[in-house]
Amino acid sequence: VYNISEFTRQHPGGSRVISHYAGQDATDPFVAFHINKGLVRKYMNSLLIGELSPEQPSFEPTKNKELTEEFRELQATVERMGLMKANPVFFLLHLLHILLLDAAAWLTLWLCGTSFLPLLLCAVLLSTVQGAPASWWNHLHFQHHAKPNCFRKDPDINMHPFFFALGKILSVELGKQKKKYMPYNHQHRYFFLIGPPALLPLYFQWYIFYFVIQRKKWVDLAWMISFYVRIFLTYVPLLGLKGFLGLFFMVRFLESNWFVWVTQMNHIPMHIDYDRNVDWVSTQLQATCNVHKSAFNDWFSGHLNFQIEHHLFPTMPRHSYHRVAPLVQSLCAKHGIEYQSKPLFSAFADIVHSLRESGQLWLDAYLHQHRSETQRGVRKPPGRRGGAVGTGM
């Protein structure tokens, strides 16, 4: 048992991710997120305030003890198999692949001219090799991994309720409360306008700079500036300033579409709710699904088609996902947990289907409450004015 009341402000992963487990057993996320556990435990010694006595329960009543123990055995097996160790050759080849695509984008314009088709091909190639600071990514992504699809804890679903009504439970709750920030019954249509096309150009583009400056990540800022300087000097001589700006925003538009579809195909169609403090495996499996393995799917999604394995072992190098997947499937089958895997375009379509379904659930709850209140108002005794007050329940 550790007292981290003061430590949360110094936590390298940020205070929010550690606060998501306040008052809960954080054993499994601790193991999942910290690679060098010996080093971390050395610094934690000063925070230790006691240990549970033998008669005290070591598992919270909301968590599946047998499943948790077997998953911890699987973690030990994965460690022994060396699946948590990165293969330098794999990542060297991946870096060379990125540099090759980057060079191909420039050569396309240099050899084929700057008409629309070469410009579009150049933008497609560049959109596959863009990146962002690791500090910003880890800050948001570890929160997402700690409590995926948990309202008010997972930053990836912060779009609920101001833009979208997500999940069956939260959508019905919004309807019953008569909240209507947007016409949610049409959200599967306006998703194509304010979802994939707009996230990177209108939000991430400036928020990343705000993040690194606010947290004084000067090395990250230097790398970001060097990228913008390099791409400016590389393409302005070929395209001029206006042409370069057109190319840049075209790249961000394409990149934003790719990013949203690939990252949300595994989550938006899944269970979305408040944090119910269930065990680590159940938390991840109810919020994630896989897309079938294939050479294209692996490359196109950056191995995020193995989203289940990525969530259960968030520090595992991605070239190991296919090796641990059969072990995870066996664990799920033994405990009757659904291990979802689907084709790529079915996963894309499920985003739209789930938005349409949750939007309709919101509308049904919203209109039902409205009708109930109207009926109660009609039945009021003569001589009294005004409508009935709903409970919102």
Side-chain angles (χ1 to χ4, degrees):
V1 180
Y2 298 89
N3 181 357
I4 59 170
S5 301
E6 298 297 326
F7 171 73
T8 53
R9 290 193 292 270
Q10 289 83 40
H11 182 229
S15 61
R16 287 185 58 83
V17 66
I18 204 168
S19 70
H20 291 343
Y21 276 88
Q24 301 178 9
D25 177 8
T27 302
D28 293 302
F30 172 84
V31 172
F33 292 141
H34 298 91
I35 300 175
N36 191 342
K37 298 171 184 62
L39 177 64
V40 175
R41 290 188 187 279
K42 183 176 73 171
Y43 287 100
M44 290 176 65
N45 287 337
S46 62
L47 307 175
L48 184 66
I49 60 174
E51 296 184 2
L52 295 175
S53 61
E55 66 273 11
Q56 288 180 298
S58 59
F59 282 88
E60 295 173 288
T62 57
K63 297 181 177 177
N64 187 326
K65 179 179 180 180
E66 182 182 356
L67 176 60
T68 299
E69 288 178 337
E70 292 195 23
F71 176 71
R72 291 175 182 176
E73 292 175 5
L74 175 59
Q75 284 180 312
T77 300
V78 166
E79 291 275 2
R80 289 194 300 269
M81 293 173 65
L83 299 183
M84 301 302 292
K85 295 180 180 179
N87 182 345
V89 175
F90 173 87
F91 289 102
L92 176 61
L93 292 174
H94 185 65
L95 174 61
L96 293 176
H97 148 262
I98 290 174
L99 295 176
L100 180 63
L101 290 174
D102 203 354
W106 183 84
L107 285 171
T108 298
L109 294 182
W110 188 63
L111 294 174
C112 302
T114 59
S115 59
F116 177 74
L117 286 179
L119 191 69
L120 178 61
L121 178 58
C122 174
V124 170
L125 291 169
L126 284 177
S127 66
T128 64
V129 300
Q130 303 302 301
S135 58
W136 164 79
W137 180 255
N138 289 338
H139 172 74
L140 293 179
H141 204 52
F142 283 163
Q143 292 181 57
H144 163 68
H145 274 266
K147 294 289 185 179
N149 282 13
C150 289
F151 184 45
R152 296 198 178 100
K153 290 191 174 182
D154 181 358
D156 285 10
I157 60 171
N158 280 347
M159 58 191 120
H160 176 94
F162 298 109
F163 297 104
F164 300 99
L166 300 178
K168 299 177 182 178
I169 296 172
L170 300 181
S171 299
V172 171
E173 180 184 73
L174 274 181
K176 289 182 176 180
Q177 294 173 352
K178 297 187 68 175
K179 292 184 178 178
K180 185 182 180 181
Y181 300 103
M182 295 285 282
Y184 302 120
N185 52 310
H186 297 292
Q187 63 182 4
H188 59 289
R189 296 185 178 95
Y190 66 71
F191 171 76
F192 291 91
L193 299 176
I194 67 173
L199 182 63
L200 266 67
L202 298 183
Y203 179 62
F204 282 173
Q205 186 68 42
W206 66 267
Y207 179 72
I208 294 174
F209 276 95
Y210 169 78
F211 176 88
V212 297
I213 293 173
Q214 183 190 44
R215 287 165 175 76
K216 300 179 180 180
K217 303 288 186 179
W218 306 127
V219 174
D220 282 346
L221 181 61
W223 278 109
M224 291 168 62
I225 292 174
S226 71
F227 162 77
Y228 285 100
V229 170
R230 180 185 68 84
I231 197 171
F232 180 86
L233 295 177
T234 301
Y235 287 97
V236 167
L238 290 174
L239 298 170
L241 182 58
K242 290 183 178 179
F244 164 73
L245 292 175
L247 172 66
F248 180 79
F249 284 106
M250 188 186 299
V251 169
R252 289 304 188 203
F253 171 81
L254 294 171
E255 184 185 20
S256 186
N257 276 274
W258 172 87
F259 180 85
V260 172
W261 286 104
V262 168
T263 58
Q264 298 309 308
M265 67 183 181
N266 311 98
H267 295 297
I268 284 184
M270 303 301 291
H271 182 73
I272 300 175
D273 196 1
Y274 293 94
D275 179 16
R276 304 299 181 185
N277 189 23
V278 296
D279 58 87
W280 174 258
V281 178
S282 299
T283 296
Q284 306 305 324
L285 265 294
Q286 68 185 6
T288 58
C289 68
N290 279 9
V291 167
H292 295 340
K293 174 179 171 54
S294 71
F296 176 80
N297 290 351
D298 292 358
W299 174 83
F300 178 74
S301 68
H303 289 93
L304 290 181
N305 53 324
F306 288 95
Q307 192 72 202
I308 293 173
E309 289 71 27
H310 174 54
H311 266 256
L312 290 175
F313 306 96
T315 59
M316 176 181 284
R318 63 190 198 176
H319 53 70
S320 296
Y321 292 156
H322 73 281
R323 295 182 60 189
V324 76
L327 303 178
V328 174
Q329 291 176 35
S330 297
L331 180 67
C332 291
K334 180 177 180 180
H335 290 272
I337 301 174
E338 185 178 10
Y339 181 99
Q340 288 195 42
S341 184
K342 58 186 73 170
L344 179 65
F345 289 103
S346 294
F348 287 166
D350 283 347
I351 297 177
V352 181
H353 294 158
S354 64
L355 289 173
R356 179 164 49 195
E357 181 182 20
S358 57
Q360 188 60 48
L361 287 171
W362 165 82
L363 182 63
D364 291 344
Y366 185 89
L367 293 179
H368 176 75
Q369 173 123 351
H370 179 73
R371 285 194 296 266
S372 298
E373 291 179 353
T374 302
Q375 290 167 359
R376 287 198 295 270
V378 169
R379 291 172 185 150
K380 295 177 76 65
R384 294 182 60 183
R385 302 179 63 185
V389 177
T391 63
M393 298 299 290

